[in-house]
Amino acid sequence: MSREAGDTVTTPDTTATADPRSAGGQGEVLLEVSGLRKHFPVTRGAIIKRQVGAVKAVDGVDFSVRSGQTLGLVGESGCGKTTTGRMITRLLEPTDGRIVFQGRDITHVSQGTMRPLRRDIQMIFQDPYSSLNPRKTVGSIVGAPFRLQNVETESGVKKAVQDLLDVVGLNPEHYNRYPHEFSGGQRQRIGIARTLALRPKLIVADEPVSALDVSIQAQVVNLLEDLQDEFGLTYVVIAHDLSVVRHISDRVGVMYLGKMVELSDAADLYKNPMHPYTVALLSAVPVPDPSIRSARERIRLQGDVPSPLNPPPACPFHTRCWKAQDVCGTVEPPMVELAPGHQVACHFPENAPADAEQQVAKAAGRA
Amino acid sequence: MTEQDAITVQAPRAFLEVRDLRIHFPTDDGLVKSVDGLSFSLERGRTLGIVGESGSGKSVTSLGLLGLHNRKNAKVSGEIWLDGQEIVGSSPEQVRRLRGRKMSMIFQDPLSSMHPFYTIGAQIIEAYRIHNDVSKQVARKHAIDMLDRVGIPQPDKRVDDYPHQFSGGMRQRAMIAMSLSCDPELLIADEPTTALDVTVQAQILDLIRDLQKEFNSAVIIITHDLGVVAELSDDILVMYGGRCVEYGEVEELFHAPEHPYTWGLLGSMPRLDRDRSDRLMPIKGSPPSLINVPEGCAFSPRCAFAELNEGRSETERPELREIGPGHRVACHLDRADRRRLWDEEIRPKL
Ligand SMILES: Nc1ncnc2c1ncn2[C@@H]1O[C@H](COP(=O)(O)OP(=O)(O)OP(=O)(O)O)[C@@H](O)[C@H]1O
Ligand SMILES: Nc1ncnc2c1ncn2[C@@H]1O[C@H](COP(=O)(O)OP(=O)(O)OP(=O)(O)O)[C@@H](O)[C@H]1O
Ligand code: SF4
Ligand code: SF4
Ligand SMILES: [Mg+2]
Ligand SMILES: [Mg+2]
């Protein structure tokens, strides 16, 4: 099974479905995203605005998520994670590409048609402080979705809200309290209860724990896992913390400058990272074990992430990659599945099978 | 308390020695005891990591060391000895001079501590010239050198950039260049990498480590990230509710911690250097109010082992006691119990 694979295998693994956390696992595909792009126009001129360029925030991203599973999205600040999440939840209109949810193309469905869908796809935001209205009680915050969409009668709302508070580990008596009376972790729970109020199928959680203390982060991570088990929820979790992402994800996508550069079963990605950027990212995570600090081999990336206004051609990482060769700046490396459930976009991948370079060259039409 | 009084008369032995530091803020809601009896020492060439939850008093402590609290709204007591000079009782002018010559700070958010309207170079030059009687040209050359040292490419050009023209990582480097321009003997870094990406964080941590070796500075690094302290520190001080609950050498703290809060921190954190655990072990509840600090141990409302102490945890404040060379813990559990709990119940689950 690829979760445990020490060496990479190129033939399809027949035992792949044994572990429900793997990509080969059961569950139909709930969300499928292909060629997704978001370009934000950059304009000049105060009165007559003219477009002088575009921020390629998301620039051709493909992935799918199976029902009941969690996809983690990682990558450095500005690589397009939030923009991707906002397109999935239809808070942003994609520039190009397709979003298919439960077999239905929702890429351009109008707000009106989106209404019932809104319930199915929900977003949890990063900041537990600013995402709750300070003047509303917990009861009215968590109950709002019920009231708005007439899912329940007013008399049923209180009971439903109190049940939800219980589910997320808050006291049902907190119904009439205000957000400022709660700690950060409790506020994040209120936000989660509000999200759950609509019984969504898919939850996009954008940095759900990064504003919280470690001890509180663990409470929220456990809660998300429990809710997934109990309600069969599907998650897309956006986070820059690679250890949190490994903990909760079945699959992980690594983004760099608006592109998906690696997509794999979580365990295999962390064990055998193939994209040089992923390798660098993982080696940069500080390890909480002082005895191995000098023994660790680190890859230090030079320089900063280039501007998404003017991303490098071909492989977006070639300006910082220590393995880069001429081809990296001229031919865009295609996404190739080099191990079961493990795709990567790189001409010279690490931890890959011996014939990987030939496979990539062939896929890129260079061979 | 009596123990503390006894120490007070002794001359300091360490380069930095903090004794029974208390920093309280009178507010409309009551007295906020942000730091409430903190003692530690640090030698040059060594790095102390201070960890603890949000609101545990880490930043208030570091501002206290730098003498930056306004005496009008902060009540500061205790002693801070830096290279033989006491800071708490010194005049603001004396402290200001020490701050330029001997100690320096790197803040979490470089934007808020840099002036947006002046170039990076102008700010480094000004910081340098306050304490060094040199011409503008010499100071400018020094600024370019410093930017080069912290790894800013083309420093002779970038020296004339404004802060907003730098990326987050570059600003943090520029900030470090500014802090180091007077070769500080004590460098305090308060969450120096929290706002940065991991790859940039790694660069900054390397930089702090290299510069420390070069200057033989004493470094205090404040963070909530146990990975960062494990990478950088020689000693660790764990704070909870304005007090030190555990102190010791880094190896000891990670491999044989004895305070239930330290265990809680370790159990809360998913780790890339271990197999994926099935479940994290969060600390229940939330951090204490610093106004109505619990009578006994501040951690008692959240501690899974408080009941083993027949009520003492709730009524009597545990003293920080030495349990081994350089290892101190404030907890009522007896030693044998703590070691058994760690070996049998906590460590196997991490
Ligand atoms: N409304 C907008 N107009 C113009 N540019 C935008 C807009 N929203 C985002 N961007 C840009 O798009 C890029 C991707 O932003 P996004 O917020 O998706 O990144 P992210 O991966 O979520 O980063 P972070 O980890 O910092 O949250 C960034 O360069 C950002 O500045
Ligand atoms: N000027 C002030 N007046 C009143 N209370 C204050 C003041 N400054 C700090 N505090 C309080 O002191 C406590 C400790 O704050 P401090 O900033 O030291 O926390 P910290 O450990 O640095 O937390 P974080 O990890 O969030 O930075 C907090 O409860 C804070 O609200
Ligand atoms: S394609 Fe080339 S530049 Fe890009 S990551 Fe792979 S080796 Fe590096
Ligand atoms: S003194 Fe009691 S409450 Fe405090 S840490 Fe020890 S066992 Fe827990
Ligand atoms: Mg984001
Ligand atoms: Mg702080």
Side-chain angles (χ1 to χ4, degrees):
Chain A
M1 174 62 263
S2 57
R3 238 173 105 77
E4 306 299 335
D7 44 5
T8 41
V9 209
T10 43
T11 47
D13 189 331
T14 45
T15 61
T17 47
D19 185 342
R21 277 195 171 264
S22 86
Q26 310 85 349
E28 85 281 17
V29 170
L30 187 72
L31 175 75
E32 198 166 359
V33 165
S34 48
L36 196 63
R37 282 193 164 75
K38 181 73 197 180
H39 293 183
F40 293 105
V42 178
T43 55
R44 283 271 160 71
I47 298 158
I48 302 163
K49 295 208 189 301
R50 60 204 162 83
Q51 188 174 340
V52 293
V55 176
K56 295 177 178 169
V58 175
D59 200 25
V61 158
D62 307 298
F63 60 84
S64 58
V65 192
R66 288 183 186 276
S67 183
Q69 295 210 331
T70 300
L71 170 75
L73 284 183
V74 297
E76 286 180 294
S77 185
C79 67
K81 305 181 295 292
T82 297
T83 306
T84 302
R86 292 173 66 89
M87 286 193 280
I88 298 169
T89 45
R90 303 290 295 112
L91 294 168
L92 267 181
E93 181 75 15
T95 308
D96 196 11
R98 246 161 71 95
I99 304 169
V100 175
F101 179 72
Q102 285 189 310
R104 178 164 161 224
D105 187 336
I106 61 160
T107 322
H108 299 292
V109 292
S110 68
Q111 294 293 322
T113 338
M114 192 62 196
R115 278 245 152 208
L117 262 177
R118 269 268 162 79
R119 237 187 285 151
D120 288 340
I121 308 179
Q122 292 291 319
M123 191 143 180
I124 297 175
F125 297 93
Q126 165 170 5
D127 187 352
Y129 303 92
S130 65
S131 61
L132 301 177
N133 184 337
R135 278 192 292 255
K136 295 242 164 91
T137 62
V138 168
S140 84
I141 290 170
V142 178
F146 293 121
R147 296 189 182 94
L148 258 179
Q149 307 214 0
N150 301 321
V151 176
E152 304 262 350
T153 59
E154 185 59 35
S155 62
V157 168
K158 182 166 182 183
K159 169 93 179 53
V161 169
Q162 291 188 325
D163 286 349
L164 272 176
L165 292 178
D166 189 44
V167 165
V168 300
L170 291 170
N171 190 330
E173 272 133 46
H174 291 159
Y175 189 81
N176 286 316
R177 300 249 200 110
Y178 290 88
H180 74 262
E181 298 172 57
F182 294 90
S183 69
Q186 288 175 320
R187 286 184 232 200
Q188 195 57 293
R189 287 166 189 267
I190 297 170
I192 292 170
R194 174 178 58 183
T195 304
L196 288 177
L198 293 161
R199 304 196 187 93
K201 298 196 169 80
L202 173 70
I203 293 180
V204 177
D206 190 359
E207 302 281 4
V209 300
S210 61
L212 307 172
D213 272 324
V214 251
S215 73
I216 312 289
Q217 282 188 10
Q219 295 175 359
V220 174
V221 166
N222 282 356
L223 173 65
L224 289 174
E225 289 186 328
D226 291 345
L227 294 172
Q228 181 164 53
D229 290 346
E230 192 171 341
F231 301 107
L233 295 171
T234 306
Y235 294 138
V236 173
V237 175
I238 295 167
H240 64 269
D241 185 325
L242 290 143
S243 26
V244 168
V245 166
R246 180 181 81 158
H247 185 85
I248 53 180
S249 306
D250 302 290
R251 304 260 301 156
V252 175
V254 181
M255 292 181 71
Y256 186 80
L257 265 182
K259 298 224 153 94
M260 189 76 86
V261 296
E262 187 160 6
L263 180 62
S264 164
D265 290 357
D268 199 36
L269 182 97
Y270 284 84
K271 205 161 193 177
N272 302 305
M274 293 189 189
H275 199 281
Y277 175 64
T278 313
V279 174
L281 210 54
L282 287 173
S283 82
V285 177
V287 170
D289 186 348
S291 28
I292 58 168
R293 63 181 167 188
S294 50
R296 280 179 73 212
E297 205 176 305
R298 280 197 206 82
I299 293 151
R300 289 289 184 256
L301 288 183
Q302 298 305 310
D304 293 306
V305 183
S307 159
L309 253 176
N310 191 12
C315 174
F317 189 53
H318 82 258
T319 53
R320 302 170 80 199
C321 181
W322 70 98
K323 297 188 82 182
Q325 298 187 23
D326 290 347
V327 62
C328 303
T330 53
V331 179
E332 175 159 1
M335 249 326 199
V336 180
E337 182 162 352
L338 291 177
H342 193 151
Q343 295 167 282
V344 62
C346 170
H347 292 299
F348 309 106
E350 299 269 285
N351 299 312
D355 66 339
E357 286 176 27
Q358 289 91 301
Q359 286 192 55
V360 176
K362 200 164 141 213
R366 290 195 296 128
Chain B
M1 206 48 225
T2 45
E3 203 182 331
Q4 293 292 352
D5 290 339
I7 295 173
T8 312
V9 290
Q10 282 171 21
R13 286 145 298 161
F15 173 68
L16 172 70
E17 205 157 312
V18 175
R19 293 171 177 172
D20 199 29
L21 181 65
R22 286 167 207 266
I23 303 175
H24 296 175
F25 299 95
T27 67
D28 292 345
D29 299 327
L31 190 64
V32 180
K33 298 180 176 175
S34 300
V35 178
D36 202 29
L38 192 65
S39 305
F40 64 89
S41 59
L42 181 64
E43 294 295 354
R44 288 194 69 168
R46 287 185 74 83
T47 300
L48 172 71
I50 301 185
V51 291
E53 277 177 327
S54 183
S56 60
K58 304 182 296 295
S59 296
V60 169
T61 301
S62 61
L63 294 175
L65 296 177
L66 291 162
L68 284 174
H69 287 295
N70 184 339
R71 298 289 165 88
K72 287 203 198 84
N73 57 36
K75 289 187 175 169
V76 184
S77 70
E79 294 163 48
I80 299 168
W81 292 89
L82 181 70
D83 204 12
Q85 186 162 353
E86 206 285 316
I87 292 175
V88 175
S90 296
S91 73
E93 179 52 28
Q94 284 171 316
V95 179
R96 207 180 60 80
R97 249 180 291 134
L98 272 181
R99 212 155 45 226
R101 278 189 301 113
K102 285 199 176 282
M103 53 186 177
S104 194
M105 177 142 175
I106 304 170
F107 292 93
Q108 171 167 357
D109 176 9
L111 255 196
S112 68
S113 44
M114 274 190 211
H115 202 295
F117 299 152
Y118 295 98
T119 64
I120 301 274
Q123 301 187 50
I124 300 179
I125 290 168
E126 192 194 315
Y128 187 59
R129 287 187 76 208
I130 290 179
H131 303 285
N132 295 277
D133 186 18
V134 295
S135 70
K136 272 205 169 139
Q137 283 77 1
V138 172
R140 184 184 161 84
K141 171 122 199 337
H142 179 79
I144 293 171
D145 278 354
M146 287 311 298
L147 289 176
D148 191 31
R149 289 262 294 286
V150 299
I152 302 283
Q154 297 181 291
D156 50 331
K157 296 207 175 61
R158 305 302 303 251
V159 70
D160 296 318
D161 279 0
Y162 291 89
H164 74 265
Q165 292 171 286
F166 274 30
S167 72
M170 283 163 77
R171 280 199 289 264
Q172 196 58 283
R173 284 158 183 275
M175 171 89 194
I176 292 177
M178 205 183 313
S179 314
L180 293 176
S181 62
C182 58
D183 299 1
E185 292 166 17
L186 172 63
L187 178 68
I188 301 173
D190 189 355
E191 307 271 6
T193 58
T194 303
L196 304 174
D197 283 319
V198 283
T199 58
V200 185
Q201 165 170 288
Q203 295 168 357
I204 299 289
L205 296 182
D206 279 350
L207 182 63
I208 294 177
R209 205 186 340 245
D210 290 351
L211 293 168
Q212 169 180 41
K213 272 207 197 98
E214 197 176 325
F215 296 122
N216 193 34
S217 315
V219 173
I220 296 180
I221 179 151
I222 294 171
T223 172
H224 60 268
D225 185 331
L226 288 173
V228 170
V229 283
E231 293 263 330
L232 226 51
S233 313
D234 300 303
D235 302 299
I236 295 180
L237 190 162
V238 183
M239 273 186 96
Y240 191 83
R243 305 191 123 221
C244 172
V245 295
E246 184 159 13
Y247 179 94
E249 281 196 12
V250 64
E251 296 273 348
E252 185 96 354
L253 258 267
F254 276 92
H255 298 306
E258 292 208 12
H259 196 280
Y261 174 66
T262 315
W263 299 341
L265 279 182
L266 290 168
S268 301
M269 186 185 43
R271 305 177 55 149
L272 285 186
D273 59 329
R274 300 280 163 83
D275 286 341
R276 184 189 171 281
S277 60
D278 274 343
R279 207 155 165 79
L280 301 175
M281 298 187 296
I283 303 174
K284 65 176 198 221
S286 42
S289 143
L290 294 173
I291 296 178
N292 301 307
V293 185
E295 270 289 293
C297 171
F299 189 53
S300 60
R302 306 176 72 189
C303 182
F305 310 105
E307 66 225 29
L308 300 179
N309 292 309
E310 287 137 10
R312 276 176 82 203
S313 290
E314 288 79 16
T315 53
E316 189 185 322
R317 181 163 278 189
E319 287 292 326
L320 192 62
R321 283 181 209 290
E322 182 125 13
I323 55 164
H327 191 173
R328 284 177 269 162
V329 175
C331 173
H332 290 308
L333 289 172
D334 52 71
R335 189 81 203 283
D337 283 342
R338 283 202 302 261
R339 298 184 96 158
R340 182 182 52 76
L341 287 169
W342 166 251
D343 282 335
E344 291 170 16
E345 295 198 19
I346 311 294
R347 192 170 50 183
K349 289 194 214 143
L350 292 182

